[in-house]
Amino acid sequence: MIVHPELRRAARHARRPLLAATLLQGAVTLSWLAQAGLLAQALAAIARGATGSLPVLLAAVLAVVAVRAGLGCAQRRTAARAGAQVRVRLRDELLAHLGRLGPAQLTTARTGAVRTTVVDGVEGVDAYVSRYLPQLIVTLAVPPLLLAAVAAIEPRALLGLVPALLLALAGPRAWDRLLARRGREHWDSYEGLGADYLEALQGMPALRAAGAVGRTRRRLEERSAQLHRATVAKLRVSLAGTGITDLAVQGGTAAGALLACWSSATGATSAAGTYLVLLLAGECFRPVRDLAREWHAGYLGVSAADGLAALRTAEPAVPDTGREPADWQQAPRLAFQDVEFTYPGAGEPTLRGVTFTAEAGRTTAIVGPSGAGKSTLLGLLLRHHDPQRGRITVDGRDTAAYDLGSLRRGIAVVSQETYLFHASVAQNLRLARAGATDEELERAARTAGIHDEITALPDGYATVLGERGATLSGGQRQRLALARALLADAPVLVLDEATSAVDERREADIVRELTAAARGRTVLVVAHRLAAVRHADRIVVLDGGRVDAVGDHRALVAAGGLYARLAEAGRTHEEGLAA
Ligand code: ATP
């Protein structure tokens, strides 16, 4: 009966409609009482043989039935509105928080599990808050009033009603703890299965290639069976509680009826009083029966409450306490000063004392062997994590001094893994700038070397892409993502292997076009193929988390260090390809 704090919190999102739904539910219950009163009088009149007043009484009963139908309709509509309000607010809140948590959190959480919480969990909370809670309040308020009314007519009836009511309400509470545990187990299985299915669907090509489809199917079947077992285990406990309630309701009604008959037989109450006690005894239990029904509707919300609370209160990897808006009028200078960083839980630092600057309005390339820490460096600039030592400044200010949202908006990123949505090409591009004109879209697409291929699509810019851009080639996806980043028109552009899936000749052209188009912006480029970055104003060579050398292409080749070796390896590879 104790309402989970997360669910109470959710209910606050729709105080007014919930209050209205509760009052209407109360009115519906009162109409049942009025009907009981009128029927008792009618029955008493029949017993007395005074049928004169019957038509009026029966007409009044019909009127009450009609009013209740109207009230019930209004109640359901108000409750649905309250539920929708709770759902929308809760999802908005969760999505905004997920945005604040950023990629650092999402790399550890399973997408399918988060989806299950945000979609199914919130749906359950809607049912709990909009249907169960109003009924709970009515159930706690109405039976005591009824008992008082019964006590005024025939106090002895309370001997049957009070224990039965207490048993009906408090009996199932004996299972609360067990039910909560079973509920959590059920929810964990439910979330896990959601995550497994999503992963299996998204990874189907990899599973097929590895010949693992059959094995995955069997694993999913086992997980489904596990969910089934968890559901049955939860149901068993829940049904035990419902069984107790039913038993108490039926026993209480029967006991009330017997006591009413007994007092009538002994002449202690009038005929009207006896009928009234009989009918009111039944009404005492109606809210309890209704509550048991709504409990099942809203139970998923109770199971999901812990998961929702965990998601809503998850701590972001970095604090968002900076207030400075990142509204740089001109391209800013980026500086890394003695930056040291170790991933949470990792033993060894990934970056050790990294120091370099990316001059304002210039292109700086970061190169180095795989695992050198290049992407990590870019992640720190975007504050997916904060370094344990050293500073990263933009325009002379610590990145932490900026408002996190505006810092991330000021830096357009294209990474190795692009994300395109199941929407038209134009809609995908306009994600970066909703108000961009068609000409602007076209200009960005031309610069990214994708315009001609877009116009060759069946509907040009209006062509709807498959999920994650599945209907495009890897290189086309990357170039579309590049066009989107250009459209964002942010003063800092970060390209992390942004052209890795584009063929080498094309890559050189795109990089040339891009640097020309991005003139006036500060560009950071990470690329494996050195040919793509040889024209960069400055090249930072990273090795094992340290800066090995800084310079331009010529100076670095002349110095004969790691860069020269990487360039030589790249040249031999190209010659091999050409041969
Ligand atoms: P590549 O050229 O292969 O993309 P990179 O130079 O960009 O490599 P990073 O992705 O920055 O390298 O990774 C540097 C090191 O940090 C690697 O050893 C990697 O295993 C580790 N690392 C990366 N991401 C995480 C993470 N989220 N948690 C723990 N360690 C990580």
Side-chain angles (χ1 to χ4, degrees):
M1 202 70 68
I2 299 158
V3 180
H4 192 292
E6 188 62 20
L7 300 172
R8 273 209 304 271
R9 202 183 156 279
R12 280 189 218 120
H13 288 310
R15 270 206 189 104
R16 272 159 183 256
L18 275 179
L19 182 66
T22 309
L23 291 175
L24 284 166
Q25 186 61 42
V28 168
T29 308
L30 287 180
S31 77
W32 282 109
L33 303 188
Q35 181 177 320
L38 290 167
L39 282 177
Q41 281 191 42
L43 288 171
I46 294 171
R48 279 199 312 272
T51 49
S53 57
L54 265 188
V56 178
L57 285 170
L58 291 180
V61 168
L62 282 180
V64 169
V65 170
V67 168
R68 185 170 53 243
L71 283 172
C73 194
Q75 200 280 338
R76 280 190 294 279
R77 223 179 289 151
T78 317
R81 208 174 62 233
Q85 205 163 311
V86 167
R87 220 174 334 138
V88 170
R89 293 264 181 92
L90 209 53
R91 286 213 179 106
D92 275 358
E93 194 181 22
L94 288 173
L95 287 180
H97 190 62
L98 277 173
R100 276 195 296 278
L101 289 177
Q105 158 83 15
L106 292 178
T107 44
T108 51
R110 296 188 70 193
T111 319
V114 174
R115 189 219 74 96
T116 307
T117 306
V118 174
V119 178
D120 301 345
V122 171
E123 214 64 34
V125 172
D126 164 358
Y128 183 91
V129 167
S130 67
R131 293 175 52 184
Y132 178 74
L133 276 189
Q135 185 61 51
L136 177 65
I137 294 170
V138 170
T139 306
L140 291 179
V142 171
L145 293 179
L146 277 175
L147 288 181
V150 171
I153 308 163
E154 175 47 81
R156 275 176 292 183
L158 295 187
L159 288 176
L161 294 182
V162 173
L165 259 178
L166 287 179
L167 183 65
L169 289 173
R173 303 287 72 77
W175 279 272
D176 267 359
R177 248 207 247 148
L178 184 59
L179 196 58
R181 201 171 67 228
R182 291 269 188 274
R184 264 196 301 278
E185 285 163 6
H186 171 251
W187 183 254
D188 287 347
S189 296
Y190 190 63
E191 253 189 3
L193 188 69
D196 279 350
Y197 264 106
L198 189 68
E199 208 168 56
L201 284 174
Q202 287 179 340
M204 195 53 86
L207 292 176
R208 211 172 282 144
V213 175
R215 257 174 292 148
T216 309
R217 203 179 55 225
R218 279 192 293 282
R219 196 163 55 86
L220 285 174
E221 272 168 12
E222 172 49 33
R223 294 294 293 255
S224 289
Q226 202 180 328
L227 175 63
H228 175 72
R229 284 194 295 274
T231 311
V232 171
K234 188 190 85 172
L235 260 182
R236 221 175 272 142
V237 180
S238 192
L239 285 178
T242 314
I244 292 277
T245 305
D246 281 349
L247 196 70
V249 166
Q250 281 158 19
T253 316
L258 283 177
L259 286 163
C261 293
W262 176 47
S263 73
S264 169
T266 54
T269 37
S270 64
T274 306
Y275 287 125
L276 197 56
V277 169
L278 267 178
L279 290 167
L280 289 186
E283 290 308 322
C284 271
F285 296 103
R286 186 187 298 280
V288 180
R289 275 200 307 269
D290 289 348
L291 188 67
R293 196 186 57 226
E294 304 299 9
W295 167 252
H296 289 287
Y299 188 68
L300 201 61
V302 182
S303 308
D306 283 335
L308 280 167
L311 190 58
R312 196 180 52 74
T313 54
E315 281 290 326
V318 296
D320 182 13
T321 46
R323 288 289 155 262
E324 197 68 33
D327 52 356
W328 312 298
Q329 297 309 313
Q330 282 168 346
R333 177 175 186 262
L334 315 176
F336 289 76
Q337 295 167 20
D338 199 21
V339 170
E340 177 160 324
F341 175 69
T342 309
Y343 277 104
E348 289 281 297
T350 296
L351 298 176
R352 309 153 195 257
V354 172
T355 301
F356 74 92
T357 53
E359 293 304 330
R362 296 298 168 93
T363 300
T364 302
I366 305 169
V367 301
S370 178
K374 304 179 294 288
S375 303
T376 304
L377 209 57
L378 300 181
L380 292 185
L381 173 68
L382 288 156
R383 287 197 72 211
H384 295 159
H385 294 280
D386 279 340
Q388 281 89 15
R389 215 187 65 210
R391 296 176 71 198
I392 301 170
T393 60
V394 183
D395 226 8
R397 271 207 188 87
D398 267 8
T399 44
Y402 291 105
D403 167 72
L404 196 52
S406 83
L407 175 79
R408 288 179 182 160
R409 273 196 300 280
I411 304 175
V413 186
V414 185
S415 62
Q416 211 162 347
E417 286 165 33
T418 53
Y419 206 104
L420 296 170
F421 291 85
H422 177 64
S424 72
V425 173
Q427 282 166 333
N428 266 291
L429 289 174
R430 286 202 172 95
L431 280 180
R433 185 144 53 95
T437 63
D438 289 350
E439 289 71 40
E440 286 168 329
L441 292 193
E442 202 181 306
R443 204 176 319 132
R446 271 187 204 285
T447 309
I450 184 76
H451 172 73
D452 293 341
E453 279 149 281
I454 296 176
T455 46
L457 290 172
D459 295 316
Y461 279 79
T463 310
V464 174
L465 299 177
E467 211 171 58
R468 293 177 160 218
T471 44
L472 298 178
S473 79
Q476 287 170 332
R477 278 200 292 271
Q478 281 200 332
R479 281 174 284 138
L480 208 54
L482 269 177
R484 186 163 68 187
L486 282 175
L487 208 60
D489 210 12
V492 181
L493 181 62
V494 168
L495 308 175
D496 184 4
E497 300 283 355
T499 44
S500 60
V502 178
D503 62 79
E504 291 177 34
R505 270 222 341 263
R506 193 91 183 250
E507 184 178 33
D509 289 347
I510 292 173
V511 172
R512 208 182 40 248
E513 287 275 325
L514 261 180
T515 13
R519 193 156 291 143
R521 299 182 206 181
T522 307
V523 185
L524 268 187
V525 194
V526 167
H528 263 130
R529 293 191 292 231
L530 298 191
V533 294
R534 62 188 295 165
H535 300 295
D537 299 298
R538 173 176 283 175
I539 300 171
V540 178
V541 186
L542 211 60
D543 188 18
R546 292 181 206 280
V547 176
D548 176 75
V550 180
D552 65 9
H553 175 71
R554 240 184 308 144
L556 288 171
V557 170
L562 174 62
Y563 184 85
R565 287 201 298 282
L566 290 173
E568 178 59 26
R571 209 167 50 80
T572 326
H573 173 69
E574 272 171 46
E575 281 169 4
L577 283 181

